[in-house]
CSV table of all heavy atoms in Angstrom, one decimal:
chain,number,residue,atom,x,y,z
A,407,LEU,N,0.8,-33.2,4.0
A,407,LEU,CA,0.5,-33.6,5.4
A,407,LEU,C,-0.7,-32.8,5.9
A,407,LEU,O,-0.7,-31.6,5.7
A,407,LEU,CB,1.7,-33.2,6.3
A,407,LEU,CG,1.6,-33.6,7.8
A,407,LEU,CD1,1.6,-35.1,8.0
A,407,LEU,CD2,2.7,-32.9,8.6
A,408,ARG,N,-1.7,-33.5,6.4
A,408,ARG,CA,-2.8,-32.8,7.0
A,408,ARG,C,-2.6,-32.7,8.5
A,408,ARG,O,-2.5,-33.8,9.2
A,408,ARG,CB,-4.1,-33.5,6.7
A,408,ARG,CG,-5.3,-32.8,7.3
A,408,ARG,CD,-6.6,-33.4,6.8
A,408,ARG,NE,-6.8,-33.2,5.4
A,408,ARG,CZ,-7.8,-33.7,4.7
A,408,ARG,NH1,-8.7,-34.5,5.2
A,408,ARG,NH2,-7.9,-33.5,3.4
A,409,VAL,N,-2.4,-31.6,9.1
A,409,VAL,CA,-2.2,-31.4,10.5
A,409,VAL,C,-3.6,-31.0,11.1
A,409,VAL,O,-4.1,-29.9,10.7
A,409,VAL,CB,-1.2,-30.3,10.8
A,409,VAL,CG1,-0.9,-30.1,12.3
A,409,VAL,CG2,0.1,-30.7,10.1
A,410,VAL,N,-4.1,-31.7,12.1
A,410,VAL,CA,-5.4,-31.5,12.7
A,410,VAL,C,-5.2,-31.4,14.2
A,410,VAL,O,-4.6,-32.2,14.8
A,410,VAL,CB,-6.4,-32.6,12.3
A,410,VAL,CG1,-7.8,-32.3,12.9
A,410,VAL,CG2,-6.4,-32.9,10.9
A,411,LEU,N,-5.8,-30.4,14.7
A,411,LEU,CA,-5.8,-30.2,16.2
A,411,LEU,C,-7.3,-30.1,16.6
A,411,LEU,O,-8.1,-29.4,16.1
A,411,LEU,CB,-5.1,-28.9,16.5
A,411,LEU,CG,-4.7,-28.7,18.0
A,411,LEU,CD1,-3.6,-29.7,18.3
A,411,LEU,CD2,-4.1,-27.3,18.1
A,412,SER,N,-7.6,-30.9,17.7
A,412,SER,CA,-9.0,-31.0,18.1
A,412,SER,C,-9.0,-30.9,19.6
A,412,SER,O,-8.2,-31.6,20.3
A,412,SER,CB,-9.6,-32.3,17.7
A,412,SER,OG,-10.9,-32.5,18.1
A,413,ASN,N,-9.9,-30.1,20.2
A,413,ASN,CA,-10.0,-30.0,21.6
A,413,ASN,C,-11.5,-29.7,22.0
A,413,ASN,O,-12.2,-29.1,21.2
A,413,ASN,CB,-9.2,-28.8,22.1
A,413,ASN,CG,-9.6,-27.5,21.6
A,413,ASN,OD1,-9.1,-27.1,20.5
A,413,ASN,ND2,-10.3,-26.7,22.3
A,414,ALA,N,-11.9,-30.3,23.1
A,414,ALA,CA,-13.3,-30.0,23.6
A,414,ALA,C,-13.3,-28.6,24.0
A,414,ALA,O,-12.4,-28.0,24.6
A,414,ALA,CB,-13.6,-31.0,24.7
A,415,VAL,N,-14.5,-27.9,23.8
A,415,VAL,CA,-14.7,-26.6,24.3
A,415,VAL,C,-16.0,-26.5,25.2
A,415,VAL,O,-16.8,-27.5,25.2
A,415,VAL,CB,-15.0,-25.6,23.1
A,415,VAL,CG1,-13.7,-25.5,22.2
A,415,VAL,CG2,-16.1,-26.0,22.2
A,416,THR,N,-16.1,-25.5,25.9
A,416,THR,CA,-17.2,-25.3,26.8
A,416,THR,C,-18.5,-25.1,26.0
A,416,THR,O,-18.5,-24.8,24.8
A,416,THR,CB,-17.0,-24.2,27.8
A,416,THR,OG1,-17.0,-22.9,27.0
A,416,THR,CG2,-15.8,-24.3,28.6
A,417,ALA,N,-19.6,-25.3,26.7
A,417,ALA,CA,-20.9,-25.1,26.0
A,417,ALA,C,-21.1,-23.7,25.5
A,417,ALA,O,-21.6,-23.4,24.4
A,417,ALA,CB,-22.1,-25.5,26.9
A,418,ALA,N,-20.6,-22.7,26.3
A,418,ALA,CA,-20.6,-21.3,26.0
A,418,ALA,C,-19.8,-21.0,24.7
A,418,ALA,O,-20.2,-20.3,23.8
A,418,ALA,CB,-20.2,-20.4,27.1
A,419,ASP,N,-18.6,-21.6,24.7
A,419,ASP,CA,-17.7,-21.4,23.5
A,419,ASP,C,-18.3,-22.0,22.3
A,419,ASP,O,-18.3,-21.5,21.2
A,419,ASP,CB,-16.3,-22.0,23.8
A,419,ASP,CG,-15.4,-21.0,24.6
A,419,ASP,OD1,-15.7,-19.9,24.7
A,419,ASP,OD2,-14.4,-21.5,25.1
A,420,ALA,N,-18.9,-23.2,22.5
A,420,ALA,CA,-19.5,-23.9,21.3
A,420,ALA,C,-20.7,-23.1,20.8
A,420,ALA,O,-20.9,-23.0,19.5
A,420,ALA,CB,-20.0,-25.3,21.8
A,421,GLU,N,-21.4,-22.5,21.7
A,421,GLU,CA,-22.6,-21.6,21.2
A,421,GLU,C,-22.1,-20.4,20.4
A,421,GLU,O,-22.6,-20.1,19.4
A,421,GLU,CB,-23.4,-21.2,22.4
A,421,GLU,CG,-24.6,-20.4,22.1
A,421,GLU,CD,-25.4,-20.0,23.3
A,421,GLU,OE1,-25.1,-20.4,24.4
A,421,GLU,OE2,-26.4,-19.2,23.1
A,422,ASP,N,-21.0,-19.8,20.9
A,422,ASP,CA,-20.4,-18.7,20.2
A,422,ASP,C,-19.9,-19.1,18.8
A,422,ASP,O,-20.1,-18.4,17.8
A,422,ASP,CB,-19.3,-18.1,21.0
A,422,ASP,CG,-19.8,-17.3,22.3
A,422,ASP,OD1,-21.0,-17.0,22.3
A,422,ASP,OD2,-18.9,-17.1,23.2
A,423,LEU,N,-19.2,-20.3,18.8
A,423,LEU,CA,-18.7,-20.7,17.5
A,423,LEU,C,-19.8,-21.1,16.5
A,423,LEU,O,-19.6,-20.8,15.3
A,423,LEU,CB,-17.8,-21.9,17.8
A,423,LEU,CG,-16.4,-21.6,18.5
A,423,LEU,CD1,-15.8,-22.9,19.0
A,423,LEU,CD2,-15.5,-20.9,17.5
A,424,ARG,N,-20.9,-21.6,17.0
A,424,ARG,CA,-22.0,-21.9,16.0
A,424,ARG,C,-22.6,-20.7,15.4
A,424,ARG,O,-23.2,-20.7,14.4
A,424,ARG,CB,-23.1,-22.7,16.8
A,424,ARG,CG,-22.6,-24.1,17.1
A,424,ARG,CD,-23.8,-25.0,17.7
A,424,ARG,NE,-23.3,-26.3,18.1
A,424,ARG,CZ,-23.0,-26.6,19.3
A,424,ARG,NH1,-23.2,-25.8,20.3
A,424,ARG,NH2,-22.6,-27.8,19.6
A,425,ALA,N,-22.4,-19.6,16.2
A,425,ALA,CA,-23.0,-18.3,15.7
A,425,ALA,C,-22.0,-17.5,14.8
A,425,ALA,O,-22.2,-16.4,14.4
A,425,ALA,CB,-23.4,-17.4,16.8
A,426,THR,N,-20.8,-18.1,14.6
A,426,THR,CA,-19.7,-17.5,13.9
A,426,THR,C,-19.4,-18.2,12.5
A,426,THR,O,-19.4,-19.4,12.5
A,426,THR,CB,-18.4,-17.5,14.7
A,426,THR,OG1,-18.6,-16.9,16.0
A,426,THR,CG2,-17.3,-16.8,14.0
A,427,ASP,N,-19.2,-17.4,11.5
A,427,ASP,CA,-18.7,-18.0,10.3
A,427,ASP,C,-17.2,-18.3,10.5
A,427,ASP,O,-16.4,-17.4,10.6
A,427,ASP,CB,-18.8,-17.0,9.1
A,427,ASP,CG,-18.3,-17.5,7.8
A,427,ASP,OD1,-17.7,-18.6,7.8
A,427,ASP,OD2,-18.3,-16.8,6.8
A,428,LEU,N,-16.9,-19.6,10.7
A,428,LEU,CA,-15.6,-20.0,11.1
A,428,LEU,C,-14.5,-19.6,10.1
A,428,LEU,O,-13.3,-19.5,10.5
A,428,LEU,CB,-15.6,-21.5,11.4
A,428,LEU,CG,-16.5,-22.0,12.5
A,428,LEU,CD1,-16.3,-23.5,12.7
A,428,LEU,CD2,-16.2,-21.2,13.8
A,429,ALA,N,-14.9,-19.5,8.8
A,429,ALA,CA,-13.9,-19.1,7.8
A,429,ALA,C,-13.3,-17.7,8.2
A,429,ALA,O,-12.2,-17.4,7.8
A,429,ALA,CB,-14.5,-19.1,6.4
A,430,THR,N,-14.1,-16.8,8.8
A,430,THR,CA,-13.7,-15.5,9.1
A,430,THR,C,-12.6,-15.5,10.2
A,430,THR,O,-11.9,-14.5,10.4
A,430,THR,CB,-14.8,-14.6,9.6
A,430,THR,OG1,-15.4,-15.1,10.8
A,430,THR,CG2,-15.9,-14.6,8.5
A,431,LEU,N,-12.4,-16.6,11.0
A,431,LEU,CA,-11.4,-16.6,12.0
A,431,LEU,C,-10.0,-16.5,11.5
A,431,LEU,O,-9.1,-16.2,12.2
A,431,LEU,CB,-11.5,-17.9,12.8
A,431,LEU,CG,-12.8,-18.1,13.6
A,431,LEU,CD1,-12.8,-19.5,14.3
A,431,LEU,CD2,-13.0,-17.0,14.7
A,432,PHE,N,-9.8,-16.8,10.2
A,432,PHE,CA,-8.5,-16.7,9.6
A,432,PHE,C,-8.2,-15.3,9.0
A,432,PHE,O,-7.2,-15.1,8.4
A,432,PHE,CB,-8.4,-17.8,8.5
A,432,PHE,CG,-8.5,-19.2,9.1
A,432,PHE,CD1,-9.7,-19.8,9.2
A,432,PHE,CD2,-7.4,-19.8,9.6
A,432,PHE,CE1,-9.8,-21.1,9.7
A,432,PHE,CE2,-7.5,-21.1,10.2
A,432,PHE,CZ,-8.7,-21.7,10.2
Side-chain angles (χ1 to χ4, degrees):
L407 180 70
R408 179 173 297 175
V409 181
V410 185
L411 198 62
S412 179
N413 62 278
V415 295
T416 65
D419 278 346
E421 184 177 353
D422 288 343
L423 289 166
R424 290 190 185 97
T426 302
D427 178 359
L428 299 182
T430 64
L431 294 178
F432 298 92

